[in-house]
Amino acid sequence: MLLSVIIPCYNEEQVLNETHARLTDVMGKIGMDYELIFVNDGSTDRTYPILYKLSQDDAQVKILNFSRNFGHQCAVTAGINHCRGDFAVIIDSDLQDPPEVILDMLEIQQREEANVVYGVRKKREGESRFKLATAKIFYRLLNKLSDTQFPVDTGDFRLIDRKIIDAFNNLHEKNKYIRGLISWMGYKQVPCYYERKERFAGETKYPLKKMVKFASVGLMYFSKKPLKIATWLGFFSVLISLIYALIILIIKLVHPASFVIGWTSIVLIIIFFGGVQLLTVGILGQYIGNLFDEAKDRPEYIIQDKVNF
C-alpha cells in the first residue's frame, strides 16, 4: 500500500522545513510506503531551492515545479494527476491543517471503508471574523443554489482512495472547484472533525480578491440557478413597469390637472431597469467566460521540472 501526500506550495519558504519534518514524523507512525508530492506553484521566493534540497536528502520527496503561478486548484490537480498511491491526502503546506489528523483520517477510512474522508473544521484559529462569516455564508449559499449537496465548513484537506483519484483524472474541466467535484462524484464520503490551527508562519495566499474568484468558480460550475434568477429578475422588472404604467394611467384619468411627471421617478426607473439589465448581462458573461475557457482547451498547468519521479 502506498500513500501519496499532495502539498501545494506558493511562497512558503518559512514553513517548508517544518512541514516536511512533521509529515515525515506522521508517515513514520503510519508505517506505510509513502511519497510527499510538493507542487511549487510558481513561487517567487526560495520555495523551490528549499524543496530541491529536501528532495536530495529524502527520496520520498517529489517535486512538480510549475513554469509560473497557475493557482492552488491547478497545483492540487497536478498532484492528483501524478500521484501513484492507493490513497492520497491533500493538505496545504502552511500547517493550518495539522498533519497529525492524517492518522485519524486513515483510521476512519479503514473503519468505515470510505472512499473519501474529508476534514470538517470544528474551530478555525487565527482567522478574522469577516473571513469566518463570509466562508460560512458561501458554503450554505452554494448548497442552496447547487444541484449537488456539499459538506459545509470543509476545505480541500481530505483523504481520497484510488477510485476517486482515477475518476478525478478523467475529468477535463479547466477551472476546477476540487472539493465540489469530489462531492459530485458520490461514493462513500465521511467526515473527520478537527481544529484548524493558525498559520505556522507567513501570510495567507487567499486575500479577498482570490476568495471572491474562487467562490465564483464554485457557484458557476455547480449551479444554473443564477441564470434562473436573472430570468425571474427580468419578469419582475416587467411586472413592476406594468404596475407603474397602470398607476400613471389611473392618476391621469382621475386627476388629470394634478398629474405632473417628475424627474425623480424617471431617474429611479432608469436606474432600476439599468441595474437589472447589467446584472443579467453580468451573470450571462460569467457563464460565457467559463465556456470560453473550456473551448480554448489549454492545459491547466505547465510543469517546468520534475524531481524524484
Side-chain angles (χ1 to χ4, degrees), residues 102-153:
I102 296 173
L103 296 167
D104 299 328
M105 288 182 166
L106 283 168
E107 192 274 328
I108 292 172
Q109 189 281 324
Q110 293 174 3
R111 185 179 69 242
E112 301 287 341
E113 297 184 349
N115 302 100
V116 179
V117 181
Y118 55 87
V120 180
R121 304 150 178 166
K122 293 190 296 183
K123 184 179 179 182
R124 301 173 67 165
E125 298 178 4
E127 294 185 354
S128 66
R129 291 184 179 180
F130 174 77
K131 186 170 183 177
L132 293 174
T134 51
K136 186 175 182 179
I137 291 169
F138 165 69
Y139 288 122
R140 284 151 182 81
L141 177 63
L142 185 60
N143 265 337
K144 288 287 185 182
L145 295 178
S146 176
D147 298 327
T148 303
Q149 290 299 299
F150 307 117
V152 298
D153 302 323

Side-chain angles (χ1 to χ4, degrees), residues 8-297:
C9 309
Y10 177 65
N11 290 347
E12 298 288 5
E13 62 181 2
Q14 295 176 302
V15 303
L16 289 175
N17 287 312
E18 179 68 16
T19 300
H20 172 258
R22 285 178 62 178
L23 282 170
T24 302
D25 181 62
V26 169
M27 294 302 109
K29 294 176 182 177
I30 292 173
M32 293 173 60
D33 291 333
Y34 69 92
E35 58 180 5
L36 304 179
I37 303 177
F38 288 89
V39 185
N40 179 36
D41 185 21
S43 299
T44 56
D45 62 359
R46 296 185 62 255
T47 292
Y48 184 65
I50 293 171
L51 288 176
Y52 189 81
K53 185 177 185 305
L54 289 173
S55 70
Q56 300 308 297
D57 297 334
D58 183 354
Q60 272 68 46
V61 172
K62 300 182 178 183
I63 307 172
L64 297 172
N65 185 39
F66 282 0
S67 61
R68 66 168 177 83
N69 176 244
F70 285 91
H72 179 270
Q73 297 294 281
C74 291
V76 175
T77 297
I80 297 176
N81 293 161
H82 289 81
C83 73
R84 299 184 300 110
D86 301 286
F87 297 95
V89 171
I90 305 165
I91 185 170
D92 288 339
S93 58
D94 56 18
L95 298 177
Q96 284 188 282
D97 300 321
E100 293 74 20
V101 178
I102 296 173
L103 296 167
D104 299 328
M105 288 182 166
L106 283 168
E107 192 274 328
I108 292 172
Q109 189 281 324
Q110 293 174 3
R111 185 179 69 242
E112 301 287 341
E113 297 184 349
N115 302 100
V116 179
V117 181
Y118 55 87
V120 180
R121 304 150 178 166
K122 293 190 296 183
K123 184 179 179 182
R124 301 173 67 165
E125 298 178 4
E127 294 185 354
S128 66
R129 291 184 179 180
F130 174 77
K131 186 170 183 177
L132 293 174
T134 51
K136 186 175 182 179
I137 291 169
F138 165 69
Y139 288 122
R140 284 151 182 81
L141 177 63
L142 185 60
N143 265 337
K144 288 287 185 182
L145 295 178
S146 176
D147 298 327
T148 303
Q149 290 299 299
F150 307 117
V152 298
D153 302 323
T154 65
D156 290 320
F157 182 36
R158 61 193 60 217
L159 180 145
I160 55 179
D161 71 359
R162 177 45 65 176
K163 285 184 179 179
I164 299 294
I165 295 169
D166 291 339
F168 182 88
N169 288 336
N170 286 324
L171 300 175
H172 303 295
E173 299 176 30
K174 302 304 177 186
N175 291 320
K176 286 187 171 70
Y177 178 65
I178 291 174
R179 65 195 73 167
L181 286 173
I182 292 176
S183 296
W184 171 84
M185 290 178 193
Y187 295 100
K188 186 172 184 179
Q189 307 196 19
V190 296
C192 174
Y193 296 91
Y194 73 102
E195 293 187 3
R196 198 168 200 236
K197 303 299 183 182
E198 190 174 355
R199 282 184 65 91
F200 178 79
E203 299 178 351
T204 179
K205 305 306 183 293
Y206 260 93
L208 180 60
K209 183 179 178 180
K210 284 191 175 181
M211 287 171 58
V212 171
K213 182 180 179 181
F214 185 58
S216 173
V217 171
L219 184 60
M220 297 298 174
Y221 269 76
F222 281 92
S223 177
K224 296 184 288 292
K225 289 183 180 177
L227 290 172
K228 295 179 181 179
I229 291 172
T231 302
W232 282 109
L233 277 173
F235 280 122
F236 178 70
S237 64
V238 170
L239 180 62
I240 292 294
S241 65
L242 290 174
I243 293 173
Y244 187 72
L246 183 61
I247 291 172
I248 291 175
L249 180 61
I250 292 172
I251 293 175
K252 183 70 174 177
L253 292 173
V254 175
H255 300 289
S258 63
F259 183 76
V260 178
I261 297 176
W263 68 272
T264 304
S265 59
I266 295 174
V267 170
L268 289 174
I269 291 170
I270 292 172
I271 292 173
F272 174 74
F273 287 112
V276 170
Q277 290 171 352
L278 288 173
L279 177 62
T280 303
V281 170
I283 292 173
L284 289 172
Q286 286 288 326
Y287 281 98
I288 292 170
N290 291 336
L291 289 173
F292 181 57
D293 285 339
E294 298 296 332
K296 287 184 293 188
D297 199 29

